[in-house]
Amino acid sequence: MRSLACLAAGECARVRAVVSEDAMRRRLMELGFVEGTRVRCALRGPPGGPAAYWVRGAMIALRRADARSIWVSADS
Amino acid sequence: MKRSRSNNAAGAPRASVALGGNPNVGKSTVFNALTGLRQHTGNWAGKTVAVARGAYTYRRRRYAVVDLPGTYSLSARSAEEEVARDFLLSGQADAAVIVCDATCLERSLRLVYQTMALTRRVIVCVNLLDEARRLGLCPDLAALGRRLGVPVVGMSARTGEGVGALMEAVRAVTEGEIVPAPVLPALPPGPEDERARALAAAAEEAARVCLPVCPDPSGHRLRRRLDTLFMGRRTGAALMLALLCLVFWITLAGANVPSRLLGTLLLSAQEPLRAGLAALGAPLWLCEALTAGVWRTLAWVVSVMLPPMAIFFPLFTLLEDFGYLPRAAFTLDRHFCRAKACGKQALTMCMGWPDLFGGYRAAPSTARMTLSVHSSNTGSGVCMNSLAR
């Protein structure tokens, strides 16, 4: 298991858990980051900046700190 | 249903329709298509959460339309969500139209399910059908309607396709001709995670019923290339600067001539105005105050401010329509993050720039710019979650 922030551009993974504080966790889950969801890193932005992910048919940009709170496993 | 029936019985001419949906699904375009009102609503932080209102007449009945702020959910955690949720719960709406993005149906359907849990009188409006067709998608709206148990109308608000059908659906629902019977997923009473998962699964299934074959939108090659270019590590910032410079250059260069013309025209009216006032027998001090004071200032402000604004805002709208703004926010977020703000606020600042230009030309003032930064809300970590378009 590793965090979503570790994904390289174009890499796929499956969400295992979201571990941020309550409000943010619910927000991320509403955006589609629920357990079992397949995500793909679409783009890595400027260094230190956000990255964009494809999740459930939408492109979502997350800051590094938020992406770090999402645990993913390799997509089999 | 009771409410709208009693409305009819009393002969009340008005029905109230709430318009909801995710941000960036063309909700404002639907609002404008219905009401014919040119009205700009955005969800950039810093804009007051005010609901826009409009009205239209269909078959001799007035419909008041309330444009709720675009939200991803109705859990009342942000001011926008609270406004949308409270309005739906208040029962003021005789029907709630939820605008969905045909190219990103699953996400829209999560909001539809949440809305159906609050009110029964829901109409689903699947917008951006033209764009979906371009991507090779052809959603089965009838199947979606059967699945959700509420009327589903297809639409491309930009071309006006489906506006009549939506009005007819709204009429049928508000008059009680069609009684929506929402089919809600069984949400487990347990922890929030379980419910979120059940909701996501229900939306996923409903989206699959509507679009059995759903090609990955990320596979769109041109779009992927443009995204890499405009949001890339090296190219993003450079392209953004270039674009902004171009917009500003067009604004400044284009505004010079109309500014001068307008100024000459308005100021040339000063003398006739003074003569007219004098002829009416106004005292000298009043003449001077009205012409050299009020009129002259007005002429200056209008001639300096109007042309740049008339050029800048349409250009900005164009960028918005191309979906560039969230991408610019993506590129800028890092810097705004340091100031405990978020990238989206760059756009609020940009919107203040024509005033700044005007300010530079007349009297240096950056009041508006600082104002827009101060009034923006801070803190929310997920800033640019609307890159889908």
Side-chain angles (χ1 to χ4, degrees), chain B residues 22-49:
Chain B
N22 292 156
N24 299 323
V25 294
K27 202 160 62 66
S28 302
T29 328
V30 173
F31 181 79
N32 289 339
L34 279 177
T35 61
L37 213 135
R38 296 298 299 169
Q39 191 261 345
H40 188 96
T41 39
N43 271 88
W44 305 114
K47 274 205 174 178
T48 338
V49 188

Short mmCIF file of all heavy atoms in Angstrom, two decimals, chain B residues 22-49:
data_model
loop_
_atom_site.label_atom_id
_atom_site.label_comp_id
_atom_site.label_asym_id
_atom_site.label_seq_id
_atom_site.Cartn_x
_atom_site.Cartn_y
_atom_site.Cartn_z
N ASN B 22 -24.13 19.93 -10.21
CA ASN B 22 -22.70 20.09 -9.92
C ASN B 22 -22.21 21.39 -10.55
O ASN B 22 -22.84 21.88 -11.49
CB ASN B 22 -21.89 18.95 -10.55
CG ASN B 22 -22.15 17.60 -9.90
OD1 ASN B 22 -21.95 16.57 -10.51
ND2 ASN B 22 -22.61 17.60 -8.67
N PRO B 23 -21.10 21.91 -10.10
CA PRO B 23 -20.50 23.05 -10.81
C PRO B 23 -20.06 22.61 -12.21
O PRO B 23 -19.76 21.43 -12.40
CB PRO B 23 -19.28 23.41 -9.95
CG PRO B 23 -19.51 22.77 -8.64
CD PRO B 23 -20.34 21.57 -8.89
N ASN B 24 -20.05 23.52 -13.13
CA ASN B 24 -19.56 23.25 -14.50
C ASN B 24 -20.33 22.19 -15.27
O ASN B 24 -19.75 21.41 -15.99
CB ASN B 24 -18.08 22.82 -14.49
CG ASN B 24 -17.21 23.90 -13.93
OD1 ASN B 24 -17.44 25.07 -14.16
ND2 ASN B 24 -16.22 23.51 -13.16
N VAL B 25 -21.64 22.13 -15.08
CA VAL B 25 -22.42 21.23 -15.92
C VAL B 25 -23.32 22.04 -16.85
O VAL B 25 -24.19 21.50 -17.50
CB VAL B 25 -23.29 20.25 -15.10
CG1 VAL B 25 -22.41 19.30 -14.32
CG2 VAL B 25 -24.22 20.99 -14.16
N GLY B 26 -23.06 23.33 -16.90
CA GLY B 26 -23.85 24.19 -17.77
C GLY B 26 -25.18 24.59 -17.13
O GLY B 26 -26.15 24.85 -17.82
N LYS B 27 -25.17 24.66 -15.81
CA LYS B 27 -26.41 25.00 -15.09
C LYS B 27 -26.87 26.41 -15.45
O LYS B 27 -28.05 26.64 -15.67
CB LYS B 27 -26.15 24.89 -13.59
CG LYS B 27 -27.39 24.70 -12.77
CD LYS B 27 -27.00 24.11 -11.42
CE LYS B 27 -26.09 25.05 -10.65
NZ LYS B 27 -26.80 26.30 -10.29
N SER B 28 -25.92 27.32 -15.51
CA SER B 28 -26.27 28.70 -15.85
C SER B 28 -26.81 28.79 -17.27
O SER B 28 -27.70 29.60 -17.55
CB SER B 28 -25.04 29.60 -15.73
OG SER B 28 -24.53 29.53 -14.44
N THR B 29 -26.26 27.95 -18.17
CA THR B 29 -26.76 27.96 -19.54
C THR B 29 -28.20 27.46 -19.58
O THR B 29 -29.03 28.00 -20.32
CB THR B 29 -25.89 27.05 -20.44
OG1 THR B 29 -24.55 27.08 -19.96
CG2 THR B 29 -25.92 27.51 -21.86
N VAL B 30 -28.50 26.45 -18.77
CA VAL B 30 -29.87 25.96 -18.70
C VAL B 30 -30.77 27.06 -18.14
O VAL B 30 -31.86 27.31 -18.65
CB VAL B 30 -29.95 24.69 -17.83
CG1 VAL B 30 -31.40 24.28 -17.60
CG2 VAL B 30 -29.17 23.55 -18.45
N PHE B 31 -30.27 27.72 -17.10
CA PHE B 31 -31.03 28.82 -16.48
C PHE B 31 -31.33 29.89 -17.52
O PHE B 31 -32.46 30.36 -17.64
CB PHE B 31 -30.20 29.39 -15.32
CG PHE B 31 -30.87 30.52 -14.59
CD1 PHE B 31 -31.85 30.28 -13.65
CD2 PHE B 31 -30.50 31.83 -14.84
CE1 PHE B 31 -32.46 31.33 -12.98
CE2 PHE B 31 -31.10 32.88 -14.17
CZ PHE B 31 -32.09 32.62 -13.23
N ASN B 32 -30.31 30.26 -18.28
CA ASN B 32 -30.50 31.29 -19.30
C ASN B 32 -31.43 30.82 -20.41
O ASN B 32 -32.24 31.59 -20.93
CB ASN B 32 -29.16 31.70 -19.91
CG ASN B 32 -28.33 32.49 -18.91
OD1 ASN B 32 -28.86 33.04 -17.96
ND2 ASN B 32 -27.02 32.51 -19.12
N ALA B 33 -31.31 29.54 -20.78
CA ALA B 33 -32.15 29.01 -21.85
C ALA B 33 -33.61 29.02 -21.41
O ALA B 33 -34.51 29.27 -22.21
CB ALA B 33 -31.72 27.59 -22.21
N LEU B 34 -33.85 28.77 -20.13
CA LEU B 34 -35.22 28.76 -19.62
C LEU B 34 -35.77 30.17 -19.50
O LEU B 34 -36.87 30.47 -19.95
CB LEU B 34 -35.27 28.10 -18.24
CG LEU B 34 -35.28 26.58 -18.18
CD1 LEU B 34 -35.26 26.13 -16.73
CD2 LEU B 34 -36.50 26.01 -18.87
N THR B 35 -34.97 31.05 -18.88
CA THR B 35 -35.49 32.36 -18.52
C THR B 35 -35.16 33.44 -19.54
O THR B 35 -35.73 34.52 -19.50
CB THR B 35 -34.94 32.81 -17.16
OG1 THR B 35 -33.52 32.91 -17.27
CG2 THR B 35 -35.28 31.82 -16.08
N GLY B 36 -34.21 33.13 -20.42
CA GLY B 36 -33.81 34.13 -21.40
C GLY B 36 -33.02 35.26 -20.78
O GLY B 36 -32.77 36.28 -21.39
N LEU B 37 -32.62 35.04 -19.54
CA LEU B 37 -31.93 36.10 -18.81
C LEU B 37 -30.44 35.88 -18.95
O LEU B 37 -29.93 34.81 -18.68
CB LEU B 37 -32.33 35.97 -17.35
CG LEU B 37 -32.42 37.23 -16.52
CD1 LEU B 37 -33.69 37.15 -15.70
CD2 LEU B 37 -31.25 37.34 -15.60
N ARG B 38 -29.75 36.90 -19.38
CA ARG B 38 -28.30 36.75 -19.46
C ARG B 38 -27.76 37.01 -18.07
O ARG B 38 -27.80 38.12 -17.57
CB ARG B 38 -27.71 37.75 -20.46
CG ARG B 38 -28.16 37.54 -21.86
CD ARG B 38 -27.76 36.21 -22.43
NE ARG B 38 -26.30 36.05 -22.48
CZ ARG B 38 -25.71 34.89 -22.73
NH1 ARG B 38 -26.42 33.81 -22.89
NH2 ARG B 38 -24.41 34.83 -22.79
N GLN B 39 -27.26 35.99 -17.48
CA GLN B 39 -26.90 36.16 -16.08
C GLN B 39 -25.72 35.27 -15.80
O GLN B 39 -25.66 34.13 -16.24
CB GLN B 39 -28.11 35.77 -15.24
CG GLN B 39 -28.03 36.12 -13.81
CD GLN B 39 -27.62 34.94 -13.01
OE1 GLN B 39 -27.66 33.82 -13.48
NE2 GLN B 39 -27.20 35.19 -11.80
N HIS B 40 -24.75 35.80 -15.10
CA HIS B 40 -23.52 35.06 -14.88
C HIS B 40 -23.47 34.52 -13.46
O HIS B 40 -23.54 35.27 -12.51
CB HIS B 40 -22.33 35.98 -15.13
CG HIS B 40 -21.04 35.27 -15.10
ND1 HIS B 40 -20.41 34.82 -16.25
CD2 HIS B 40 -20.26 34.89 -14.08
CE1 HIS B 40 -19.30 34.21 -15.91
NE2 HIS B 40 -19.18 34.24 -14.60
N THR B 41 -23.37 33.23 -13.34
CA THR B 41 -23.15 32.67 -12.01
C THR B 41 -21.93 31.78 -12.07
O THR B 41 -21.76 31.01 -13.00
CB THR B 41 -24.34 31.81 -11.54
OG1 THR B 41 -24.80 31.09 -12.65
CG2 THR B 41 -25.42 32.66 -10.94
N GLY B 42 -21.08 31.91 -11.12
CA GLY B 42 -19.90 31.06 -11.06
C GLY B 42 -19.74 30.57 -9.66
O GLY B 42 -20.41 31.05 -8.75
N ASN B 43 -18.88 29.59 -9.49
CA ASN B 43 -18.71 29.07 -8.15
C ASN B 43 -17.33 29.35 -7.62
O ASN B 43 -16.81 28.64 -6.79
CB ASN B 43 -18.98 27.59 -8.11
CG ASN B 43 -20.43 27.37 -7.86
OD1 ASN B 43 -21.20 27.33 -8.79
ND2 ASN B 43 -20.80 27.32 -6.61
N TRP B 44 -16.73 30.40 -8.11
CA TRP B 44 -15.41 30.73 -7.62
C TRP B 44 -15.52 31.30 -6.23
O TRP B 44 -16.42 32.06 -5.93
CB TRP B 44 -14.75 31.73 -8.56
CG TRP B 44 -14.76 31.19 -9.93
CD1 TRP B 44 -15.43 31.69 -11.00
CD2 TRP B 44 -14.11 30.01 -10.38
NE1 TRP B 44 -15.24 30.88 -12.08
CE2 TRP B 44 -14.43 29.85 -11.74
CE3 TRP B 44 -13.29 29.06 -9.77
CZ2 TRP B 44 -13.96 28.79 -12.49
CZ3 TRP B 44 -12.83 28.01 -10.51
CH2 TRP B 44 -13.15 27.88 -11.85
N ALA B 45 -14.59 30.88 -5.41
CA ALA B 45 -14.59 31.34 -4.03
C ALA B 45 -14.57 32.85 -4.03
O ALA B 45 -13.91 33.47 -4.86
CB ALA B 45 -13.38 30.80 -3.32
N GLY B 46 -15.27 33.43 -3.13
CA GLY B 46 -15.26 34.89 -3.05
C GLY B 46 -16.52 35.48 -3.61
O GLY B 46 -16.91 36.58 -3.24
N LYS B 47 -17.18 34.74 -4.50
CA LYS B 47 -18.46 35.23 -4.96
C LYS B 47 -19.47 34.98 -3.85
O LYS B 47 -19.45 33.93 -3.24
CB LYS B 47 -18.88 34.47 -6.20
CG LYS B 47 -18.31 35.07 -7.45
CD LYS B 47 -19.19 34.71 -8.62
CE LYS B 47 -18.71 35.44 -9.84
NZ LYS B 47 -19.48 35.09 -11.00
N THR B 48 -20.31 35.91 -3.62
CA THR B 48 -21.32 35.72 -2.59
C THR B 48 -22.22 34.57 -3.01
O THR B 48 -22.53 34.43 -4.17
CB THR B 48 -22.20 36.98 -2.47
OG1 THR B 48 -21.47 38.06 -2.99
CG2 THR B 48 -22.60 37.21 -1.07
N VAL B 49 -22.59 33.78 -2.03
CA VAL B 49 -23.51 32.70 -2.35
C VAL B 49 -24.91 33.29 -2.40
O VAL B 49 -25.63 33.30 -1.43
CB VAL B 49 -23.46 31.58 -1.31
CG1 VAL B 49 -24.28 30.40 -1.76
CG2 VAL B 49 -22.04 31.18 -1.06
#
